[in-house]
Amino acid sequence: ASPTIVSYCLPYPKNRHHNTNLFLISVFWPEYSFRLWRIFGVEKHHYHGRFPMKRFWIVCTFLQFVLFLLITGCATLCPTNVPIIRGRPETCQSFLECLDEEVGKADVRDESTASVPCFPYLRSNRMLAALKKALSTDEERAHWLQWMIDLNLNAREKEVQNLPDDIILLLNRDSGKESGRVGLLSRLQSCSYELLKHDQGHLEFFETLYPFVNVPDEYSFWRRAGGLYPLAWLPVNIVTKNVRNRFQSWYDEDFDDLTIEGDLKTFVPSEPIMLQPTVVFNILKACLDNPLGVPRPDKIQEETLAVSFAPIFVQDVAGPYDYIGRVMWDGDRLEVDREHPTVYYYFSQAYLKGEPILQVNYVSWFGARKGEKSPWMERGQLDGLTTRVSLDRQGEPFMVDVMNNCGCYHFFSPAKERVEEVVSKPFVLNPFVPQWLPAIPSGNRLGLRINSGWHQVERLTAASGSTEGIAYELLPYHVLEKLPHEDGSTKSMFDPKGIAKGSERIERFILFSSGIPSVGSMRQRGNHPIALTGRMHFDDPYLFDRNFVFK
């Protein structure tokens, strides 16, 4: 929230009844508080001159009305008066509606991307939502559109794969064909392009589409309102600051003095390939060869880059819950098979100084969060860590940021020589930078020293690429979204809300006021809020530019 508003209200008791509207907007819509004050000619440092009260009241009332419409969900529903919908091919429209209905009933919806209301053949992410502002040519719009179609087909492929057999038979019977899952996916693809062809026949197709390409905020207004967020933000910030101080003490210690509760085990990539910088640059250059100028590697390029930048994990192992492993189903319960060390990877895009860059995300899983070092309210089944390596346009790592798979304990580690300034924001915790990114010479890999039980990173290092240890396998992240079950079916490890099944924590009752649903649970990619106060998402493409001024 932006409690700055309180400092304006308190000196003027006679005007407090007028200030109520602005207070509410500033608390529950904090990113607009300072902008709102500037509308009235008031700077955020202090107030000078007569306060324009009439204008104040009118604008605040209007904004509250708009805010009410947004939070009641109007923005996420498809209005019935959208002209493009009229006249669509009935067979394809009905097929997609029926498929969505069955996916919803079976609870197999894939939440890694966001649906685009009114356009059932498209899905989006925060990068695509950001790109819509910069589209200027037909080629750019076509590539942007195709990207969303690809996301939708990929997501629906996982959903169809995870549907029970009886529903597949039902969908095939309704179509008059017995073509199985492959036939459904083929029909899905053809219907998607048939609906697109119809919609593009409208002159105002893109003007109609743009407002619907958004990704829902992970923070719930009503949870914050019900949890008295304005009262809770200060103690939460104080606790967070204390935890950060504790983390910082680890980074200030000599590496050899870090506490060891068990035995240090080193996990290394099973494939030792590391590309030369010139090779990485050439791959990135090829990835950028598209109208949007956004790096989009193909499957082979992804595999090559993932192996090249794969980190080395130095894990303090004091119990079976400290081994990274392969996620698997054991009946209806998710387990981590420590006999098969595995790290999952996926790629994302973001901005650096306004230019699109590529990110490699490495996700490791533990059987549980346990041990005396971990807070009691965070303990439970499943735990995990996401390490993200961000590459500049030349293919050089300029930033590593890390979070637990709940979105908790996020921190940045940028290259010091690249940063001009860490951005400070009033009444919001500064970006946490416990350590600058260490220099990683050619032939070395990023190393992470991780503590036992709590699974927090205590140090980033440059580790020799020839380091010996326990080999882990690299697998694409989508494997987690259609895990083989012992009965022959596949099931995602995540529920339709993007929460890892069975990973709920007691802290969801304690930190309810943060506005994060099921706070503390392990989460699916695309669903990671990373701050308990304010609003910040791991997949925000402007995350780095919002928090740092780069040279």
Side-chain angles (χ1 to χ4, degrees):
S2 184
T4 317
I5 210 68
V6 176
S7 66
Y8 293 118
C9 295
L10 291 179
Y12 307 101
K14 62 181 181 180
N15 290 330
R16 284 184 186 172
H17 63 287
H18 296 292
N19 291 343
T20 303
N21 288 336
L22 185 53
F23 175 79
L24 290 173
I25 290 174
S26 298
V27 166
F28 297 115
W29 204 357
E31 55 268 36
Y32 287 99
S33 60
F34 287 145
R35 298 181 192 178
L36 186 59
W37 279 101
R38 292 192 184 102
I39 291 175
F40 311 116
V42 180
E43 293 300 325
K44 63 183 179 181
H45 298 296
H46 53 279
Y47 167 74
H48 290 291
R50 184 180 176 185
F51 195 81
M53 192 57 63
K54 183 176 180 180
R55 187 179 176 191
F56 170 96
W57 185 87
I58 293 173
V59 174
C60 286
T61 302
F62 172 75
L63 288 179
Q64 271 193 292
F65 176 74
V66 173
L67 179 61
F68 172 78
L69 292 180
L70 292 176
I71 62 180
T72 54
C74 297
T76 61
L77 300 177
C78 180
T80 56
N81 61 346
V82 177
I84 284 180
I85 297 177
R86 293 194 292 270
R88 277 179 174 169
E90 180 62 28
T91 303
C92 284
Q93 182 75 6
S94 298
F95 168 66
L96 290 181
E97 289 175 356
C98 183
L99 179 59
D100 281 334
E101 183 179 355
E102 296 301 333
V103 164
K105 289 179 181 178
D107 280 340
V108 295
R109 172 171 167 74
D110 179 70
E111 195 65 17
S112 61
T113 51
S115 296
V116 179
C118 300
F119 298 87
Y121 51 88
L122 301 177
R123 296 203 189 184
S124 183
N125 57 34
R126 287 190 168 84
M127 184 65 186
L128 283 163
L131 281 169
K132 70 180 180 181
K133 305 172 186 176
L135 302 176
S136 58
T137 68
D138 290 341
E139 291 78 10
E140 290 174 351
R141 284 186 281 269
H143 190 85
W144 177 74
L145 195 60
Q146 185 60 53
W147 192 347
M148 287 194 288
I149 292 174
D150 293 341
L151 284 186
N152 182 65
L153 291 175
N154 289 337
R156 288 188 180 275
E157 187 274 330
K158 289 178 280 187
E159 292 170 351
V160 169
Q161 185 68 36
N162 293 334
L163 279 172
D165 291 338
D166 58 338
I167 294 181
I168 297 297
L169 289 173
L170 175 65
L171 291 169
N172 280 321
R173 186 166 61 249
D174 290 344
S175 67
K177 299 178 182 179
E178 294 296 333
S179 52
R181 300 176 200 272
V182 175
L184 281 179
L185 292 174
S186 177
R187 186 180 176 195
L188 175 63
Q189 183 171 351
S190 63
C191 275
S192 295
Y193 284 105
E194 190 172 343
L195 291 176
L196 172 64
K197 182 180 179 180
H198 167 271
D199 290 355
Q200 284 186 311
H202 288 256
L203 293 177
E204 297 182 351
F205 169 65
F206 282 103
E207 288 75 7
T208 304
L209 171 62
Y210 288 155
F212 292 104
V213 181
N214 291 298
V215 178
D217 196 327
E218 292 294 325
Y219 297 87
S220 164
F221 171 87
W222 293 115
R223 287 177 183 272
R224 286 192 164 183
L228 300 178
Y229 176 76
L231 302 179
W233 74 268
L234 182 57
V236 170
N237 274 358
I238 291 173
V239 171
T240 303
K241 183 67 175 177
N242 290 338
V243 172
R244 286 185 173 186
N245 290 338
R246 181 179 178 184
F247 281 28
Q248 188 64 61
S249 68
W250 301 337
Y251 289 87
D252 292 340
E253 281 186 76
D254 289 337
F255 184 83
D256 294 335
D257 292 337
L258 291 172
T259 303
I260 301 175
E261 297 185 14
D263 298 317
L264 291 182
K265 305 279 187 184
T266 303
F267 295 85
V268 301
S270 57
E271 298 183 50
I273 301 171
M274 283 183 289
L275 303 177
Q276 292 296 319
T278 53
V279 178
V280 176
F281 173 76
N282 289 332
I283 292 177
L284 278 182
K285 187 177 179 181
C287 296
L288 288 165
D289 187 19
N290 60 71
L292 294 175
V294 177
R296 295 191 63 199
D298 59 30
K299 182 179 179 180
I300 295 176
Q301 290 168 333
E302 285 187 349
E303 291 174 354
T304 304
L305 291 173
V307 169
S308 184
F309 290 99
I312 291 174
F313 301 96
V314 180
Q315 174 68 53
D316 183 4
V317 176
Y321 48 80
D322 285 326
Y323 285 89
I324 62 173
R326 181 176 299 177
V327 181
M328 57 179 290
W329 286 107
D330 183 8
D332 291 329
R333 180 183 174 90
L334 286 167
E335 298 288 351
V336 174
D337 181 6
R338 61 192 182 97
E339 298 298 324
H340 294 89
T342 306
V343 173
Y344 301 85
Y345 69 88
Y346 68 94
F347 283 75
S348 55
Q349 293 83 13
Y351 284 108
L352 170 64
K353 297 176 65 175
E355 288 192 324
I357 52 96
L358 187 66
Q359 301 171 308
V360 197
N361 301 261
Y362 298 95
V363 183
S364 50
W365 293 96
F366 304 90
R369 177 171 291 188
K370 289 185 177 180
E372 294 182 2
K373 187 170 283 187
S374 63
W376 64 270
M377 67 178 182
E378 297 180 12
R379 296 172 190 168
Q381 182 192 8
L382 288 182
D383 195 13
L385 202 65
T386 297
T387 305
R388 181 166 62 184
V389 180
S390 297
L391 310 176
D392 62 18
R393 303 278 280 199
Q394 285 69 46
E396 291 288 332
F398 73 93
M399 172 79 75
V400 169
D401 59 327
V402 179
M403 67 170 177
N404 288 128
N405 291 343
C406 52
C408 324
Y409 303 114
H410 175 262
F411 71 85
F412 300 96
S413 181
K416 186 175 183 179
E417 65 276 8
R418 304 291 292 272
V419 175
E420 183 77 35
E421 178 187 352
V422 179
V423 176
S424 247
K425 300 174 184 177
F427 301 98
V428 177
L429 290 175
N430 292 340
F432 186 41
V433 185
Q435 176 190 355
W436 297 106
L437 183 64
I440 304 176
S442 179
N444 285 26
R445 292 183 181 271
L446 172 70
L448 293 88
R449 166 75 152 81
I450 306 168
N451 63 22
S452 171
W454 202 5
H455 306 136
Q456 303 300 331
V457 176
E458 296 179 322
R459 192 67 50 86
L460 299 179
T461 63
S464 171
S466 60
T467 301
E468 295 184 357
I470 303 170
Y472 67 78
E473 183 181 5
L474 275 172
L475 290 178
Y477 188 94
H478 65 74
V479 171
L480 298 170
E481 295 159 339
K482 47 181 180 179
L483 280 175
H485 197 272
E486 54 195 17
D487 63 6
S489 64
T490 63
K491 295 182 180 180
S492 173
M493 71 173 289
F494 305 103
D495 69 17
K497 296 181 180 179
I499 304 298
K501 298 171 183 176
S503 69
E504 292 80 6
R505 302 292 197 260
I506 294 176
E507 62 182 303
R508 69 186 186 276
F509 303 114
I510 300 172
L511 296 174
F512 179 85
S513 62
S514 68
I516 302 172
S518 195
V519 62
S521 301
M522 301 298 110
R523 309 175 81 88
Q524 187 178 14
R525 58 177 170 175
N527 295 273
H528 286 106
I530 53 175
L532 293 174
T533 58
R535 294 171 184 267
M536 193 157 36
H537 299 86
F538 189 65
D539 58 338
D540 177 3
Y542 298 107
L543 183 64
F544 299 155
D545 284 349
R546 292 187 203 278
N547 289 283
F548 300 91
V549 177
F550 293 95
K551 296 180 182 178

